[in-house]
Amino acid sequence: MLGGAGILLGVAAVPAQAAEVSYKTECIPPAASGLDPVEGTTKVEITAPATAKVGDEIEVVWKFVQAASKNPDLIVLPKDSVKPTGTLKASGAQTADIAMEGPQKNPEIPKGGDMVLSDMTGKVKLTTAGDVTLTPDAYTITAYSTDTKCTPQEAVPAAATIKVTAAEGGSTTSGGSTSGGTTTSGGTATGGDTGGTTSGGSTTGGSTTGGGTTSGGSTSGGSTSGGDDGQTDFAGKTVATSFACTSPGPAKIDSTATINAKKNGGSYDLTVKTAEGVMNSPAPLPAGALKPSMVITVGGDDSGSLKVEGPANKDALNTGDPVSLGDMTGTYKPGADGKATLSPGDLTIVVTLSAGSDPITIPCKATKTAVSLELDVQKQAGGVSGATTSGSGSSSGSSSSSSSSGGGLAETGANDHGGLRALGFVAGTAILLGGAVFVFLPHRRVR
């Protein structure tokens, strides 16, 4: 395309025409989000050749003058993270649905800023002499591999008319169709691999004291320790776990977890490892964007629970980089004498997508777990027995305790836009912030 004008392929270029139309539009977020449709006005400029001949294949340009809505006042959309696709309808002498597609190219879009979409182009082969009119139709905005579909809510006026003449020395044909056929307006996925069932990984932070992650199945007894025989390091068994995130999260997340312990006086320093490389980053993520924590359930002769926390990702991630959850650490102080069992429990991921944005807390309840480690313990003052403790994890920063009620979406915790909701998925789900979406796609197997 030269200078935004249409190109007539196979013959000399002819003067182009550009016309702007506007129409009421309804944009529907992904079905899993449970969000209400957004209504707004779309303004589009269509550029196409003014004249052409039967047999010519022409290129048409769709320019977004105004999208139906703005970027929510919540996050900054990174550069080159949004891709439009759509359908342009041809009618009159020739009817066809012309598939339109734009590159994933946009400037950084600030919170509350205008949604900036790239120009879309499409091609059609002209088959019939006469006037062919071009009218914008439905379009899709793809951000981080999740589609928001927008459709007209009123009759859309024609944006351009091409006068098609018969080819020299030939007869015209009737009917005809586009060279590309009818297409749907889904976007091109930009994120990671698909499939798989793991939800964790061992990467940064935390000193491990034994036992790497494996793909082993569930166990019922866990690893046991001796009494006062001088042993200080205790390696747990890798057990299978499943998690259910709050609605509209995924129905099930399968993973593994291993709890290792190092004796420290009468207490135990815990390190919890999950599977490595559970997903590929669908887009650039800043350092510190993802921070995990987990509840460890204490059983046997002792009872209660404690919290372990992992570091946020140390380095920024590029599109396609493997993403792992850092080793989670905390302290177990026994509250009873005897044999205590330790099992992985509920998982929480705190997500901060950009500097200055409110953290989003994503809770996932453990629905399947098993004992990973058994310890011979002696009661300590202030021990865990019958209580829930913080576990003395090394977490820092503020996490907004966004919890959902009645199975709804998690709130962002921001007082000035409490109506904006955040949908968080881990390993097979999306984080949907108003109209912006992060999707993390899991690998096919547990490592």
Side-chain angles (χ1 to χ4, degrees), residues 16 37 40 72 83 92 95 98 128 145 154-155 190 201 234 264 343 350 367 419 435:
K83 177 183 178 68
T95 59
I98 305 172
T128 308
S145 305
E154 62 179 345
T190 59
F234 308 98
N264 183 0
S343 306
V350 175
T367 58

Side-chain angles (χ1 to χ4, degrees), residues 71-261:
N71 182 30
D73 187 19
L74 185 61
I75 64 167
V76 175
L77 287 176
K79 180 181 178 182
D80 300 338
S81 61
V82 181
K83 177 183 178 68
T85 55
T87 301
L88 184 68
K89 288 189 172 294
S91 59
Q94 178 179 341
T95 59
D97 288 343
I98 305 172
M100 307 295 292
E101 183 175 354
Q104 186 171 307
K105 186 175 180 62
N106 60 275
E108 182 180 273
I109 303 175
K111 293 185 288 186
D114 292 334
M115 187 67 70
V116 181
L117 303 175
S118 63
D119 294 350
M120 299 191 297
T121 59
K123 296 177 182 178
V124 60
K125 185 172 184 179
L126 301 173
T127 60
T128 308
D131 289 349
V132 176
T133 59
L134 303 175
T135 305
D137 196 51
Y139 62 92
T140 296
I141 300 172
T142 301
Y144 305 117
S145 305
T146 300
D147 296 336
T148 296
K149 297 182 181 295
C150 302
T151 55
Q153 297 301 296
E154 62 179 345
V156 183
T161 300
I162 305 171
K163 293 188 176 295
V164 183
T165 58
E168 295 180 0
S171 59
T172 64
T173 61
S174 61
S177 61
T178 66
S179 62
T182 301
T183 68
T184 60
S185 59
T188 300
T190 59
D193 302 329
T194 60
T197 57
T198 64
S199 66
S202 59
T203 52
T204 62
S207 61
T208 61
T209 58
T213 54
T214 70
S215 59
S218 62
T219 65
S220 58
S223 179
T224 62
S225 73
D228 295 328
D229 58 359
Q231 183 179 358
T232 58
D233 294 333
F234 308 98
K237 290 186 178 181
T238 299
V239 297
T241 57
S242 294
F243 300 92
C245 295
T246 53
S247 176
K252 186 178 183 181
I253 295 175
D254 294 320
S255 184
T256 62
T258 308
I259 302 174
N260 299 316

